[in-house]
Amino acid sequence: MKFQNYLYIILLSSGLIFSQNIKLEGVVIDSLGVAISTANIVAKNLDTDRMDNFAISDLDGKFSFGIKKDTPYNIKVSYLGFKPVDLKVRSSEDVNQVFVMFEQAQQLDGVEVTYEMPVSIQGDTIIYNADSFNTGTEKKLKDVLENLPGVEINDDGQIEVEGKQIKKLMVEGKDFFDGDSKIATENIPSSAVDKVQVLKNFSEVSQLGGVTNNEDNIAINIKLKQGKSKFWFGDLMAGGGEKNTFLLNPKVFYYSPQLSINFLGNSNNLGENPFTRRDYYKFTGGFRSQSNKSGSSIQIQSNDIGLQNLSSNNAEFIDNDFAASNFSFSPKEGLDFSGFAIVSQNTTNIKSLRDVTFTSNGANELTNNTTNQISRLQLYKFSTLYKPNLQLQVEYDILFRKADESEDRGTISTSSFTENINELRSQKPNQINQNLNSYYTLNDNHIFSLEIQHSHQEENPIYFLQKEQIIFPQILPLDPSISPFNVQQNRVTETNQIDGRLDYYYVLNKKSNLNLTLGTTRVKQDYLSEMSSVNDNVIFSFDDEKLKNDISFSFTDNYTSLHYRFKDGKITFNPGITLHNYKIDTNDNFRGVLRDSEIRILPDIWVSYKLKESETLRFTYNSRVRFSDVSRRALGYTFNNYNSLRIGNEAIKPAYFNDFSLNYFNFNMFNFTNIFARANYSRQFDSLKSSFLLDGINRVNTPFNSPKDEESISFNGNIQKRYNKLKVSAGGSINSSKYYNVVNENLRQFQYLTQSIRGSIATNFNSGPNFEIGFNYNVNKSKDENRIQHYITERPFINTDIAFLNGFVFFAEYSFFDYRLGSQSLNNYDDSSFSLSYNKKDSKWEFAIEGKNLLDNGTINRDNFSGIVQSSTTFFVQPRFIYFTLKYKL
């Protein structure tokens, strides 16, 4: 059946369902006739003894929602501090009702509360009662959150509220793997979740809450159901199926007022990767960059070896072993210890076909790639918080990360000739981050903040290349009579960075304060690299200095800033200015010493205007300076891959940015409408770009400062609206950029445009099947002078879930991908999965059968534009799996 027919059926069935509803509307007032805002109005179906719908009264006390015709209901109105009001309703026509509430001094003991308020608002905190939104098919926290108004899970598994990614997730007020919300959304059982607290304008330091801007800081706290002082929960899962597939997935949680301990495990070969390389390198552990606050930064490049990062499990085979533990301990009031440990091992086999076009000269390369990758990843964090009183808070954190990775890639390359290429990469980087913060309030007018961070990082990548054709003969001194040609490159980079800043906040009055900052950033790097040829297991080092690097690099940024913050009613105005003094020393043991220094003034401004209580318009302007690290200053050649070398430029200048941003947020709890929109414009001066010497498909690139100004502009937005049990979402984004590169000494202009449109309709019925149907449309368009590449991906999808026969739950997901180059179709493929589980009421056992890639699709496609290269890649994916699981709930 065509996708359009699915859409017609779902919309028709939804229309029939809603045509059977009538409207219940009215107003909630107190005994004096004053409107009561944020009162909860709940409609309990007396036939099913379940809540069918609810609403929250708006600023005028008004509300409106749908109920079923000719069905008996108990309408319950509740508001903190007032006696609940009940009304029996059964009607075939719309109902309009005025509810009068009377104050209640205190909640009387023994009063029966039939239904908790689905949503309550306490200041900047929104509290959702999870069961009010659950449909009975939820398995994990992710499913619970996706039911809540204004809460979404993005493609990376991270939680977003009002379009903002949350900064912290807690369980019972205790950090849960600080720095990453994906682990929580994928592992906390839905059955344990009682309430979800969304903490807006969140500040981890109470003293700074009133003198800093925290609109983008949102945290989530999960309240658990048990409600006991000490309790265990979790589940143990095991499974297996065809093609020797297996799954082991234990999850154990312990919570008490003083101590919490959690353990998560996952071992499988189903392609379910609970912790990817991308997750590892993006994992912050809760550490916040200080240098970005000052307007200037140094871009510390990851001197890795180009291991392939997967998205959406684009691999033929993936074997995962994952274990993680998180703890929090409070021996006494004002003293907390917490931390986590994450260990992961992934074995991945990747097979792909890649079509590469060099946009500047039209050269084309087709590659057939086979990659075997092994990653062993470790993360450990320990934190302590000491807060003896409201005036003092001291924090210390230490985060250690270590990786052991290798990749063996075989390539058949076809361009003007065909050859076999082998690449072997290995690396064992490690990093230690430490953070010491102290906050002290002298009195109501004087607040001090001291923040110090230190990072030590070591990287040691090894790259081995074997080619049938000679490798860069003008650069590498290889003997043309010896084939195949083998080259090895060794690199070592050691980086030490310390950031420190002292902030003083002087509160002028209730509306304004000053913020004076003294800060410093210091970076020290040592960089070594060398190349050699390898023949018959004998290593011959290259003596040419242009093939070696031995550099010491230091960067110092001493700065001071002054900011003024004024808040009066609806407007907050926060301008500032920062004075920087930079010093850079580059000591190349082969080429001499280069020193540079400069002084810059960077202004910034932050303005927020509250149109309504839940509607905000914000404008920001930031001037930024970004410096380059040692890797872009090294004048010895290093390999990017088999057909790409790079060489640094010791004379590069910092890039300067003027960033403008306009943001609109509207989160209306009264009619469950969530809207956000952003417009960003950036103008760049002396931006760091690449100069390419291109010979067919081989290239050498070096960084340089663009002689022309560059710019980028982006728009993105989303709207989510709930109509009773129907949720409608629509959104999109446009990103356009113009920049310059030099190709064979000719300055060329490049333009890049990405467009994304998405929309979906989903139901949220307490009983009966629920559906989500939607459509995604993505365009990637690149232009190199007059050469244009235009890739399009269309993806319609449909998902369904249903609970039936007192214990059965069925899930199914289906997506269809149409991948095109302009009007030329390159590939059509499907992605489908299902799950059927059975859990008898009050039983601890659950049985399930699951399937992935049901239509046994063999390939998927991705495209990418980078510098002067436009590529389209076909990945071979895992075959269809059918497997069984058994779960025991603790």
Side-chain angles (χ1 to χ4, degrees):
M1 183 180 292
K2 292 184 177 180
F3 180 78
Q4 290 87 343
N5 293 338
Y6 281 112
L7 177 61
Y8 176 75
I9 291 173
I10 300 303
L11 292 179
L12 179 61
S13 60
S14 299
L16 291 174
I17 292 171
F18 288 109
S19 67
Q20 301 172 13
N21 284 353
I22 61 173
K23 183 188 295 184
L24 173 65
E25 58 184 354
V27 63
V28 182
I29 58 176
D30 64 12
S31 58
L32 300 178
V34 179
I36 297 178
S37 174
T38 70
N40 272 235
I41 304 94
V42 175
K44 178 183 177 183
N45 188 320
L46 297 179
D47 287 340
T48 63
D49 199 35
R50 299 184 66 175
M51 184 188 74
D52 269 7
N53 214 338
F54 77 98
I56 299 175
S57 59
D58 65 14
L59 296 176
D60 298 320
K62 297 179 180 179
F63 68 91
S64 176
F65 59 85
I67 57 176
K68 296 177 182 178
K69 286 182 179 180
D70 300 316
T71 302
Y73 283 93
N74 180 52
I75 310 302
K76 189 179 190 71
V77 183
S78 55
Y79 185 72
L80 191 65
F82 286 77
K83 296 178 182 178
V85 177
D86 290 272
L87 175 68
K88 299 292 191 299
V89 170
R90 181 171 189 162
S91 178
S92 59
E93 299 178 348
D94 292 346
V95 177
N96 192 303
Q97 182 70 35
V98 176
F99 290 93
V100 180
M101 305 191 74
F102 295 88
E103 290 189 21
Q104 179 174 273
Q106 60 183 5
Q107 183 71 42
L108 300 178
D109 293 336
V111 174
E112 179 185 0
V113 180
T114 307
Y115 269 90
E116 291 191 74
M117 293 188 292
V119 181
S120 60
I121 302 174
Q122 300 176 7
D124 287 332
T125 301
I126 303 173
I127 304 172
Y128 297 97
N129 182 48
D131 285 342
S132 299
F133 298 89
N134 289 344
T135 64
T137 63
E138 294 78 16
K139 297 292 184 182
K140 48 193 175 184
L141 177 61
K142 174 183 177 181
D143 304 323
V144 175
L145 296 177
E146 288 180 329
N147 292 333
L148 306 181
V151 182
E152 293 185 341
I153 308 296
N154 64 23
D155 293 339
D156 293 326
Q158 304 294 327
I159 306 170
E160 292 184 354
V161 176
E162 302 178 30
K164 309 167 189 172
Q165 186 167 315
I166 70 161
K167 305 295 185 183
K168 180 181 286 287
L169 187 139
M170 299 171 285
V171 177
E172 293 290 335
K174 304 177 187 297
D175 288 350
F176 191 86
F177 293 97
D178 194 16
D180 184 274
S181 60
K182 176 183 174 182
I183 295 179
T185 60
E186 294 292 339
N187 288 283
I188 296 178
S190 62
S191 58
V193 180
D194 182 25
K195 291 180 174 59
V196 177
Q197 298 176 331
V198 177
L199 313 173
K200 304 169 71 174
N201 298 316
F202 178 75
S203 176
E204 294 190 61
V205 184
S206 58
Q207 296 103 308
L208 304 183
V211 293
T212 55
N213 301 316
N214 298 299
E215 286 190 5
D216 284 338
N217 295 340
I218 298 178
I220 284 182
N221 182 45
I222 305 299
K223 300 292 291 184
L224 302 174
K225 279 186 176 178
Q226 276 78 355
K228 304 172 185 177
S229 60
K230 299 178 181 180
F231 58 94
W232 292 88
F233 69 95
D235 52 60
L236 307 175
M237 178 186 287
E242 59 177 343
K243 302 180 179 68
N244 297 317
T245 54
F246 67 88
L247 169 67
L248 296 173
N249 187 201
K251 306 171 186 176
V252 182
F253 306 84
Y254 172 77
Y255 278 89
S256 72
Q258 286 188 320
L259 176 66
S260 70
I261 302 175
N262 311 302
F263 173 77
L264 310 172
N266 193 312
S267 179
N268 75 86
N269 60 358
L270 299 167
E272 295 182 356
N273 197 340
F275 195 72
T276 66
R277 291 189 70 249
R278 180 180 299 180
D279 295 332
Y280 172 82
Y281 286 105
K282 289 177 61 179
F283 201 98
T284 65
F287 279 72
R288 302 175 297 275
S289 173
Q290 291 183 8
S291 57
N292 290 335
K293 297 179 183 179
S294 69
S296 71
S297 62
I298 178 169
Q299 190 175 22
I300 305 294
Q301 296 287 316
S302 176
N303 289 300
D304 62 12
I305 45 175
L307 270 71
Q308 190 166 349
N309 279 323
L310 293 180
S311 60
S312 304
N313 298 328
N314 305 337
E316 273 196 317
F317 173 79
I318 304 177
D319 187 297
N320 300 293
D321 294 301
F322 168 80
S325 182
N326 180 86
F327 85 94
S328 178
F329 177 55
S330 303
K332 64 178 183 178
E333 186 176 356
L335 181 62
D336 294 288
F337 301 100
S338 62
F340 61 74
I342 300 173
V343 179
S344 175
Q345 176 171 305
N346 305 318
T347 301
T348 307
N349 298 335
I350 309 165
K351 183 177 180 181
S352 63
L353 302 174
R354 192 164 181 247
D355 186 348
V356 179
T357 299
F358 292 80
T359 58
S360 299
N361 63 1
N364 181 257
E365 181 190 23
L366 301 176
T367 63
N368 187 331
N369 312 286
T370 302
T371 304
N372 299 315
Q373 184 184 106
I374 299 176
S375 294
R376 300 179 181 89
L377 311 172
Q378 301 176 58
L379 277 167
Y380 306 95
K381 183 186 178 184
F382 175 78
S383 300
T384 182
L385 170 65
Y386 177 61
K387 191 174 182 179
N389 50 56
L390 296 177
Q391 287 73 41
L392 177 64
Q393 178 171 321
V394 181
E395 306 169 346
Y396 174 74
D397 308 280
I398 182 169
L399 174 69
F400 175 71
R401 62 173 76 222
K402 182 180 181 180
D404 183 355
E405 302 179 292
S406 64
E407 180 178 282
D408 186 357
R409 183 183 303 176
T411 300
I412 301 175
S413 170
T414 301
S415 53
S416 57
F417 52 86
T418 299
E419 68 170 324
N420 292 309
I421 302 168
N422 291 307
E423 297 171 280
L424 181 62
R425 298 170 165 89
S426 64
Q427 61 182 13
K428 295 182 180 180
N430 65 79
Q431 183 177 2
I432 297 178
N433 294 86
Q434 297 183 81
N435 186 55
L436 177 63
N437 300 330
S438 179
Y439 309 94
Y440 177 67
T441 301
L442 181 63
N443 53 45
D444 290 342
N445 295 329
H446 304 282
I447 304 171
F448 298 88
S449 166
L450 176 63
E451 299 176 332
I452 302 173
Q453 287 186 5
H454 175 256
S455 173
H456 175 79
Q457 180 174 322
E458 295 179 355
E459 298 169 288
N460 54 357
I462 300 173
Y463 176 68
F464 176 81
L465 170 64
Q466 182 181 83
K467 286 179 95 257
E468 295 177 341
Q469 301 291 324
I470 194 166
I471 309 168
F472 294 98
Q474 298 84 6
I475 299 174
L476 303 181
L478 296 172
D479 186 344
S481 65
I482 301 177
S483 180
F485 300 95
N486 302 321
V487 175
Q488 180 170 307
Q489 175 182 272
N490 297 66
R491 285 186 286 151
V492 176
T493 307
E494 183 176 348
T495 302
N496 281 282
Q497 178 172 346
I498 186 167
D499 293 276
R501 59 182 287 147
L502 174 65
D503 284 281
Y504 165 61
Y505 298 90
Y506 176 50
V507 179
L508 300 171
N509 49 54
K510 292 183 178 180
K511 296 182 178 181
S512 61
N513 66 269
L514 291 173
N515 173 209
L516 176 64
T517 303
L518 298 175
T520 185
T521 296
R522 297 174 183 268
V523 177
K524 175 71 167 62
Q525 290 186 295
D526 294 309
Y527 179 61
L528 297 170
S529 75
E530 62 178 4
M531 291 188 192
S532 57
S533 64
V534 182
N535 295 307
D536 297 326
N537 294 322
V538 179
I539 298 176
F540 300 91
S541 297
F542 298 149
D543 294 327
D544 193 336
E545 291 184 359
K546 68 182 181 182
L547 301 178
K548 296 181 178 181
N549 287 293
D550 184 357
I551 302 177
S552 294
F553 169 80
S554 64
F555 168 84
T556 302
D557 172 20
N558 296 317
Y559 62 89
T560 182
S561 69
L562 180 65
H563 287 79
Y564 171 71
R565 185 173 183 267
F566 174 80
K567 184 174 183 180
D568 184 18
K570 296 183 176 182
I571 191 168
T572 303
F573 181 63
N574 189 192
I577 190 169
T578 306
L579 174 66
H580 291 267
N581 183 9
Y582 305 106
K583 293 182 180 180
I584 301 173
D585 287 343
T586 305
N587 186 353
D588 191 324
N589 287 338
F590 297 123
R591 303 166 186 92
V593 178
L594 181 66
R595 290 187 171 89
D596 192 16
S597 63
E598 64 174 293
I599 294 176
R600 292 216 186 196
I601 297 177
L602 303 178
D604 62 89
I605 188 170
W606 191 96
V607 182
S608 176
Y609 183 74
K610 186 172 287 190
L611 302 171
K612 295 179 181 178
E613 185 61 31
S614 58
E615 187 176 12
T616 304
L617 186 66
R618 188 175 73 224
F619 169 79
T620 61
Y621 163 73
N622 290 285
S623 54
R624 296 185 293 118
V625 174
R626 187 169 66 199
F627 290 81
S628 299
D629 72 344
V630 67
S631 64
R632 289 184 170 177
R633 301 171 185 272
L635 297 182
Y637 287 97
T638 54
F639 272 99
N640 294 315
N641 54 49
Y642 63 86
N643 66 342
S644 176
L645 287 172
R646 71 174 182 267
I647 187 171
N649 179 357
E650 62 181 359
I652 53 176
K653 298 183 294 184
Y656 179 70
F657 301 81
N658 278 322
D659 297 332
F660 302 84
S661 177
L662 185 64
N663 299 269
Y664 172 77
F665 303 98
N666 186 350
F667 186 56
N668 193 324
M669 286 298 302
F670 309 123
N671 58 16
F672 298 110
T673 301
N674 178 33
I675 303 172
F676 73 85
R678 298 189 185 96
N680 298 286
Y681 174 77
S682 178
R683 193 165 187 86
Q684 307 166 24
F685 308 90
D686 293 326
S687 57
L688 201 62
K689 297 301 173 184
S690 293
S691 175
F692 295 93
L693 290 177
L694 189 60
D695 181 13
I697 66 170
N698 296 318
R699 62 193 185 274
V700 177
N701 68 282
T702 185
F704 77 105
N705 293 103
S706 176
K708 293 192 175 184
D709 300 346
E710 300 181 347
E711 60 184 6
S712 63
I713 187 169
S714 65
F715 301 92
N716 66 86
N718 190 77
I719 180 171
Q720 184 187 101
K721 172 71 175 177
R722 287 179 178 259
Y723 301 91
N724 296 326
K725 296 296 184 178
L726 192 68
K727 180 176 73 173
V728 180
S729 298
S733 64
I734 299 176
N735 298 275
S736 176
S737 59
K738 180 184 70 175
Y739 57 93
Y740 297 86
N741 282 322
V742 171
V743 180
N744 293 341
E745 300 183 353
N746 295 316
L747 185 67
R748 299 177 69 92
Q749 183 187 95
F750 294 80
Q751 293 180 335
Y752 189 49
L753 175 69
T754 63
Q755 296 172 274
S756 175
I757 300 173
R758 59 190 179 276
S760 65
I761 300 174
T763 61
N764 187 245
F765 299 114
N766 292 327
S767 59
N770 283 297
F771 298 92
E772 180 185 16
I773 190 166
F775 186 80
N776 290 352
Y777 179 83
N778 295 285
V779 176
N780 290 330
K781 185 177 181 181
S782 62
K783 182 180 179 182
D784 176 357
E785 297 293 341
N786 295 319
R787 189 184 300 274
I788 298 176
Q789 296 277 358
H790 190 190
Y791 288 93
I792 300 172
T793 303
E794 294 183 359
R795 174 186 167 244
F797 64 89
I798 182 171
N799 306 322
T800 184
D801 63 83
I802 180 174
F804 62 99
L805 296 181
N806 296 321
F808 285 93
V809 175
F810 176 75
F811 289 94
E813 296 179 341
Y814 174 78
S815 297
F816 176 78
F817 293 82
D818 182 15
Y819 181 66
R820 306 194 303 270
L821 174 60
S823 59
Q824 177 189 357
S825 179
L826 298 179
N827 194 12
N828 293 328
Y829 54 93
D830 308 87
D831 183 19
S832 53
S833 62
F834 86 98
S835 169
L836 177 63
S837 62
Y838 175 70
N839 175 223
K840 185 179 179 180
K841 186 177 180 180
D842 298 326
S843 172
K844 293 181 177 294
W845 294 96
E846 178 181 290
F847 307 88
I849 179 173
E850 300 186 36
K852 296 181 181 297
N853 192 10
L854 297 180
L855 300 179
D856 208 17
N857 172 64
T859 61
I860 63 174
N861 291 86
R862 298 288 183 267
D863 58 80
N864 182 57
F865 180 72
S866 175
I868 59 173
V869 174
Q870 176 77 57
S871 65
S872 175
T873 305
T874 300
F875 289 96
F876 292 81
V877 297
Q878 295 187 106
R880 175 176 53 235
F881 291 142
I882 304 294
Y883 58 98
F884 297 87
T885 63
L886 176 65
K887 181 164 67 175
Y888 178 76
K889 298 181 180 179
L890 299 176

